[in-house]
Amino acid sequence: MISLSYPAVTGSHPFLIHRGASVSAPPSPPAGPTNVDSRIEQLRSRFCDPDAEVAALLCDDHPADGVALTTVDPNGRSTDLTYGQVRERSIRCARALEGLGVGRGDRVASLMDKSPDLVVLMVAVWRLGAVYVPLFTAFAPQAIALRLEGSDVRVIVVDPRQRTKLVPGDDLPDDPDRRIVVTGDEPPAHDDDLLLTRLEARASSEPLPRVAVGGSGALVHMFTSGTTGKPKGVVHPVAYLAGWQGYLEFGLGVTAESVYWCAADPGWAYGLYSAIAAPLAAGRSTLLVSGGFSVERTWRVLAEHQVTDFTAAPTVYRGLRSSSVPVPGGLALQRLSSAGEPLTPEVNEWAEAALGLPVHDHFGQTEVGMVLANCHHPALARLIKPGSMGRAIPGWQLTVLAEDDDAPAAAGALGRVAVDVAASPMMTFTEYQTTGQAASKFTADRRWYLTGDSSRVDDEGYFFFSSRDDDVIIMAGYRIGPFEIESVLAQHPAVVECVVVAAPDEVRGEVIEAHVVLRDDTPGTPELVTELQQLVKTRYAAHAYPRAVHFHDRLPKTPSGKLQRYLLRDRARPSTAASS
């Protein structure tokens, strides 16, 4: 039986991090106690306090002259905003929202790029005791409507270039009670719209009365990504921030000396909390880069801003790896992290060779936050095991339950990833917005929260992702997790991205199919199909090779970039497929 919680640490520990054959020296440890248990209790006490006031926790309690964020616009121009400036601007913004009738518990949404205005708005919403609703800027009107209606948003703040998505139509019903506020300085294009700068200019700069919503008060109303069904509403309490600040310190290892950049989009939980809420809670400075991903721009920002701590989705690292753009000299990188999807081993083969650093894989969910990591904190860092999501982050206890029994599985056996609710002090999730929807997420006795992922855990407590529970392939009695096969296929130099799914088979029940995106200069030939099949046979298992390989220009993904495997299982096989 393996059931892993965070290690008890009462002093320093050798900082071990695999960089090829070398071992690095430790960075400066984060401020605060070295005892992990004490730090967890401090964070819980701070964010679970019945008198917790969010604007104070994330802004007002920090030195006014400290830099809260550095933003980089599409032209590469950077702007610093101090905590004092965030406080001053968010007071005016809060007064403006108050004038629109926004008060405690009301929902305010944003459809905005990463900018100083976005952070100021978020703090302003929390200053009123209101609840923030993030919207991803790549959403189409139907996805926006689901979230606006599902959270009963009363005010939405939108960038001008996003405004057309809010025009009423078949996908977005009209709501005359919802106010639309536009950012920027240009007069609104729609008569009923309000201009944020005008509202703020007319608003008082007098501080507002303190609004203490407490640790159980609502902080964020957001929705799951919908990879396995319709997105579900989740209301995060203020206490949820404790786990994210713990992750920032223990998992990401961000310190006061770090130049920190989380490239994830704040329209989703990881970007919202890792890029904005957690660093603000910790009084750290965060880097926000507007616009979408490009290889050239990523390298330029990393070099020009001398970023030391970088975290992004695996897609970003794969994009950097597959590009012909050379790695710039003079980088200051010290810690690399990844979350959002499993990190296949070929990324680290590239990262260690190109950057002299491994990428630390981390795992979490919208409901619970980040729970597993290859931690960067010097007291918690261990050698990275290829393919592992790491170990439990302080404040969490996890195990792998047997497939047919709510008891821990044997070490190395494939099972269901579960959080021990009572033994995880950072756990806040109890139910979705709609009562009863979370019943399947817990065992009958409510002891275990089920993540919906299949994994195995070794005798040292390292978790190895296999698949979502409903993605396991059962072929001739063998239970096969797609991730390990995908990890092998991704090692081929011609492969940019790949997904493995089950296909029906009269003899074996199911067989394995691979869907592959190739580099631009590589043709999808029958010879390459055979080569990929042989790669799996020799590096994973002779019986578990893909019986068919399909080549695609791109793979289906959610707006957040997560693969939609079910679409590949359901769709007809492309005519470009070759099989054996």
Side-chain angles (χ1 to χ4, degrees), residues 196-442:
L196 183 60
T197 53
R198 289 180 185 172
L199 294 176
E200 290 176 340
R202 294 197 296 261
S204 169
S205 60
E206 285 295 311
L208 291 94
R210 184 173 181 269
V211 181
V213 298
S216 61
L219 176 79
V220 168
H221 192 152
M222 67 189 318
F223 292 78
T224 60
S225 60
T227 53
T228 59
K230 187 177 180 180
K232 299 180 181 68
V234 184
V235 179
H236 294 149
V238 174
Y240 185 70
L241 285 168
W244 281 95
Q245 185 172 341
Y247 169 64
L248 186 84
E249 295 180 9
F250 297 123
L252 295 173
V254 175
T255 73
E257 292 78 31
S258 296
V259 178
Y260 170 62
W261 179 22
C262 171
D265 194 280
W268 300 98
Y270 191 75
L272 172 63
Y273 290 102
S274 287
I276 298 176
L280 292 185
R284 301 286 185 255
S285 179
T286 186
L287 183 66
L288 297 179
V289 180
S290 62
F293 167 75
S294 80
V295 172
E296 295 84 354
R297 194 162 181 233
T298 299
W299 286 132
R300 185 166 64 250
V301 171
L302 288 171
E304 290 180 358
H305 290 268
Q306 288 292 279
V307 172
T308 59
D309 298 59
F310 181 63
T311 183
T315 303
V316 169
Y317 290 104
R318 294 188 187 112
L320 297 175
R321 168 183 174 264
S322 61
S323 171
S324 59
V325 177
V327 178
L331 295 176
L333 292 169
Q334 297 176 19
R335 288 169 286 276
L336 302 174
S337 304
S338 175
E341 283 199 314
L343 188 74
T344 43
E346 90 286 349
V347 171
N348 268 339
E349 292 178 9
W350 164 80
E352 293 195 32
L355 304 173
L357 292 168
V359 182
H360 288 216
D361 195 14
H362 299 166
F363 169 83
Q365 291 188 326
T366 299
E367 294 88 338
V368 295
M370 303 304 293
V371 296
L372 294 170
N374 290 286
C375 289
H376 283 288
H377 188 289
L380 301 169
R382 302 290 186 274
L383 289 175
I384 293 176
K385 294 188 178 184
S388 173
M389 300 181 288
R391 297 149 53 93
I393 297 172
W396 297 94
Q397 184 164 305
L398 290 90
T399 194
V400 169
L401 298 180
E403 296 286 354
D404 53 358
D405 184 19
D406 292 339
L414 192 65
R416 299 168 293 157
V417 179
V419 176
D420 190 333
V421 175
S424 299
M426 295 302 196
M427 179 74 170
T428 62
F429 179 77
T430 57
E431 181 56 274
Y432 290 109
Q433 177 185 355
T434 302
T435 302
Q437 281 190 329
S440 62
K441 299 295 290 185
F442 293 89

Side-chain angles (χ1 to χ4, degrees), residues 18-44:
H18 188 220
R19 300 186 178 184
S22 65
V23 177
S24 87
S28 301
T34 57
N35 185 290
V36 172
D37 293 309
S38 296
R39 186 58 179 153
I40 293 298
E41 186 53 39
Q42 282 184 355
L43 292 172
R44 276 184 46 78

Side-chain angles (χ1 to χ4, degrees), residues 446-459:
R446 300 284 292 193
R447 177 184 174 180
W448 302 101
Y449 167 84
L450 307 172
T451 69
D453 299 284
S454 291
S455 178
R456 58 185 174 85
V457 57
D458 67 14
D459 55 7

Side-chain angles (χ1 to χ4, degrees), residues 148-171:
L148 294 180
E149 294 172 2
S151 58
D152 192 23
V153 165
R154 305 291 12 125
V155 174
I156 177 169
V157 183
V158 57
D159 287 338
R161 62 185 299 181
Q162 295 284 335
R163 179 60 181 86
T164 56
K165 296 179 180 179
L166 302 180
V167 174
D170 293 340
D171 290 334

